Each structure stands twice: as C-alpha cells, then as structure tokens.
Amino acid sequence: MRKVWTPPWAWVCGAVMVLGLFSFLQAYRQTQINARPGMTIMAGKLLILNLALWSIPALLMPAVVWAARRFPFDTGHKLRAVLAHAVGALTFASTHILGLIAVRFLLYEAGGKSPVVPWTRYFQNRIFEQLDASLMIYAVIVGVSHAIAYYHESQERKLRAAQLETRLVEARLKTLEAELHPHFLFNTLHAISTLVHRDPESADRMISRLSDLLRITFDRTGEPKVSLKEEIDFLQKYLDIEQTRFQDRLTVSVTVDPDALDGEVPRMILQPIVENAIKHGIAGRNGGDSVHITAGCENGRLWMQVRDNGGGLQVRTLKALRTGVGLSNTRARLDCLYGRHYRLEFTDKHGGLSVLIEIPFQRVNVAGQPAAAFRVA
C-alpha cells in the first residue's frame, strides 16, 4: 500500500478558515445584489454555513486519503480503483450534501417551519446545487494525495540511486586500492633486493622502514580519503626507503602550505607520482637528482605538485606513464572521487617533469593536530 502524506490538522483548519471566509464574502456580496428592499442579511448564519461548506470535507478527508492509499490508479487493478473511487466519491458527496442540509435546516428552519417547497424538491435542489462541487473536492483530495505520494516516491528513488552509486564508487575505490598495494609492495621489494648483496646494512634499514610503511598502510585500510598531513607523513616513510637506496644521489624536498595540511586528499595519491618521478625520471642518471613536492590551497582548490630534474617527457617516459599501473590507478581514483572536478597535468620543464594534481579543497577534522609547515631536504 502506497504511503500518502497527510497534512497536519493545523494546516487543514487554516485552509478551512481561508476558504470559508472567501466563500462567505462571495455569498454575502451575491445576497446583497439580489436582496429585496428592506431584506435583512443574516451575516452570522451565512458565515457558519460557508464554514460548514469546507469543514465537512475536512472532516471526511482522512477517509478519502485512506481510499487514495488503498486504491491507487497506477497498479494492475485500474478497474477496481475506478469503481472504488466512484463509490467513494458518491458517498463523499452524499455525506457532504446531507451535512450542509442539516446545518442549513438548523440555521434557517429550526423553528419547525417547513421549506417553502415540498421536501422532495428541496432535497433535489440542494443535491444538484452541490453535487458537482462535492465530487470536485473529492477528486482534488485524491489527486493531491497521489501527487504528494509520487513526489515522496521520486525523492526516495533518487536517494536509493545515490546510495547505490556511492556503494558502487566505494567498491571500485577498494578494487583500485587493492590493485595499488601489490604494485607498490612489489616495486619496493625490488628496490630492496638490489641492495641485499651490495649493501646489507642499507637493505636491512629499508626492510625496517618498509615494515613501518606497511603498518601505516594496513592501519588506514578502508579510508578512501585522509588529510594531506597524513598523506605527507606516509609519503615521507616511502621517501626514507628511496633515499636509503639512492643515498647522496637523491635530494628530496617537501614544502606544504600550512593551510593545506588539513585538506582532504585521496589516500596514497602522491606515492605513485613520486615513484614514477624516481623510477622514470632520475633513476638512470648518475647523480644530482632531486624531487620537489609542493602543495597549497587557493580559491577553494587544493593543488599538489611533484617535480623532478630528470629527462622530462621523453618517448620512453610517456610510454611508461601511459601503461603503468600507478598512474592509471591514480587517474581512475580521481575520476571516481571527483568526476570532472579535478586536474591531472604533466608538463615538460626542459630538464625535468612536473605533475600537477588539483582537487576541490575540503577540510577534514584534524582537532589536536597542530598545523606546521613541512620542509625536508
């Protein structure tokens, strides 16, 4: 059975008063126009009669609303609904008209006087005067009930669709994160393996830092977004590993606007970009390598930039970026989270590559975490 919204009784009483007063003024003016000279217009009785005209439908409204809920027209039982509402409309009109006749009789014929016309004609006159208006009132109540019910159903459908879409996005994000973790772990283990025989002490430090990094990764599982401060903390654990691997060859600097630290960013959004900068930008060089990571916020946008001093957008680098897991994963996650409201741009700096990510700035709750600028070199 469809849920039908029922207006509060305060609204119903207010509507009855407004409609009753409007009908009274209309009837009063019409009586003035048609009154014979010396005729007294009984305004009080006329007001009571017009209030009754709208009060009786208001009292019958719960039954009409129930009928609208019980017999909707958009189901497979249209004939049954039509018959039910035909009976309901006639019952409603009969009750409305008989109620008005009773009120009119109490107001004007309570002294025991009979109408000036026979009772049968009196009833027929009253029925044909009011029947169309009563049927129209019934149809309006049923129509408004259905319209409001359709509105609520459409809102519920939109809400369910939005919830389903959110669950689908969350499932896709989890899939992308599950894809990213083995890729990240494999590359890091590969970097460690290059030092196991050549520099066992450095390899041991890298394994220890990888352990810390994995602990942070697993602790944050299930959170698609984190603060930029947490992301930078995580990134520095990864950079510790890479700096152990490259030692004095690699210089890393991280500069973040303090106002941007509590901005919300996708988890592990910077690590694949920095990994690409090290792997494809500077790993083949002989020294003097640097990676600069900067971030800030401006005009409601949060931007993060990773720049290296490698070979720039060479053919080999472009192919690696297009086919690599890290970049495609990053772009897919940005698509899921921000749709068209993000930027991911690569710029050849003629002596390095700059990668810019820009997303809407949204502050996260970082109570108890003092903001501080990062500058690591």
Side-chain angles (χ1 to χ4, degrees):
M1 184 180 295
R2 170 179 290 137
K3 294 182 179 178
V4 177
W5 178 77
T6 304
W9 275 108
W11 295 15
V12 176
C13 292
V16 167
M17 290 299 296
V18 171
L19 294 172
L21 288 174
F22 180 78
S23 299
F24 162 71
L25 293 174
Q26 189 178 18
Y28 185 82
R29 180 57 183 158
Q30 186 179 14
T31 305
Q32 275 186 326
I33 294 172
N34 298 324
R36 294 187 298 275
M39 177 180 171
T40 302
I41 301 175
M42 294 177 285
K45 292 182 178 180
L46 197 58
L47 175 62
I48 294 173
L49 184 63
N50 280 279
L51 288 176
L53 175 67
W54 296 104
S55 299
I56 296 171
L59 294 174
L60 297 174
M61 189 181 66
V64 180
V65 171
W66 176 86
R69 179 174 61 233
R70 181 68 179 80
F71 302 103
F73 288 103
D74 59 346
T75 63
H77 305 287
K78 289 185 174 57
L79 180 59
R80 188 183 69 168
V82 170
L83 293 175
H85 283 291
V87 172
L90 291 175
T91 304
F92 174 87
S94 301
T95 307
H96 187 199
I97 294 169
L98 289 174
L100 287 175
I101 290 175
V103 172
R104 184 184 292 273
F105 181 80
L106 291 173
L107 290 174
Y108 296 103
E109 283 90 21
K113 295 185 296 183
S114 298
V116 294
V117 296
W119 281 104
T120 53
R121 186 183 299 179
Y122 179 82
F123 277 109
Q124 288 183 41
N125 287 337
R126 298 303 174 205
I127 289 173
F128 288 115
E129 280 178 3
Q130 192 61 39
L131 181 61
D132 55 346
S134 297
L135 293 177
M136 194 174 298
I137 293 172
Y138 179 89
V140 168
I141 296 175
V142 171
V144 171
S145 298
H146 279 293
I148 294 174
Y150 285 135
Y151 172 76
H152 284 296
E153 284 184 0
S154 67
Q155 294 299 108
E156 290 176 359
R157 281 197 295 271
K158 288 180 181 177
L159 178 61
R160 288 196 294 270
Q163 291 173 338
L164 177 61
E165 185 176 355
T166 300
R167 286 197 289 270
L168 289 174
V169 170
E170 289 175 351
R172 179 166 168 73
L173 282 173
K174 288 180 180 177
T175 301
L176 291 169
E177 288 179 6
E179 177 187 11
L180 188 61
H181 290 163
H183 168 77
F184 158 72
L185 183 60
F186 172 80
N187 285 348
T188 307
L189 288 174
H190 178 73
I192 292 173
S193 70
T194 61
L195 293 176
V196 168
H197 299 291
R198 180 165 52 87
D199 189 350
E201 292 185 2
S202 295
D204 183 63
R205 287 197 299 273
M206 288 179 67
I207 291 172
S208 175
R209 288 166 181 170
L210 177 61
S211 174
D212 294 338
L213 198 61
L214 290 177
R215 179 179 53 77
I216 296 174
T217 302
F218 293 137
D219 286 346
R220 298 195 308 179
T221 297
E223 301 172 7
K225 293 181 181 177
V226 296
S227 70
L228 180 59
K229 180 180 184 304
E230 292 179 71
E231 185 64 15
I232 295 294
D233 286 341
F234 174 82
L235 184 63
Q236 286 187 321
K237 297 287 184 186
Y238 170 76
L239 290 172
D240 286 344
I241 294 175
E242 294 294 357
Q243 285 193 303
T244 301
R245 175 187 171 196
F246 289 96
Q247 297 182 351
D248 295 335
R249 285 180 50 196
L250 176 64
T251 300
V252 177
S253 67
V254 181
T255 305
V256 180
D257 181 351
D259 292 337
L261 286 173
D262 56 355
E264 198 174 61
V265 300
R267 188 159 64 98
M268 287 184 73
I269 194 66
L270 289 175
Q271 185 274 331
I273 305 298
V274 173
E275 182 179 327
N276 278 336
I278 295 173
K279 182 177 180 181
H280 304 298
I282 63 177
R285 292 158 55 91
N286 295 323
D289 308 319
S290 64
V291 173
H292 303 283
I293 301 159
T294 54
C297 56
E298 187 176 359
N299 298 327
R301 308 283 291 178
L302 174 64
W303 58 268
M304 295 161 282
Q305 186 178 52
V306 178
R307 180 175 178 177
D308 64 69
N309 64 343
L313 281 176
Q314 298 176 355
V315 175
R316 180 176 58 85
T317 305
L318 277 174
K319 183 178 179 180
L321 290 176
R322 287 171 181 165
T323 59
V325 173
L327 179 59
S328 61
N329 188 292
T330 299
R331 192 186 298 280
R333 288 194 295 146
L334 290 171
D335 279 336
C336 282
L337 290 170
Y338 304 105
R340 295 178 300 171
H341 305 287
Y342 78 91
R343 289 171 60 195
L344 176 59
E345 294 180 354
F346 296 81
T347 306
D348 190 329
K349 293 293 184 179
H350 304 292
L353 178 65
S354 171
V355 181
L356 174 69
I357 298 175
E358 186 180 292
I359 58 176
F361 179 78
Q362 186 171 1
R363 199 178 300 276
V364 297
N365 183 13
V366 291
Q369 295 184 13
F374 282 80
R375 186 175 293 277
V376 180

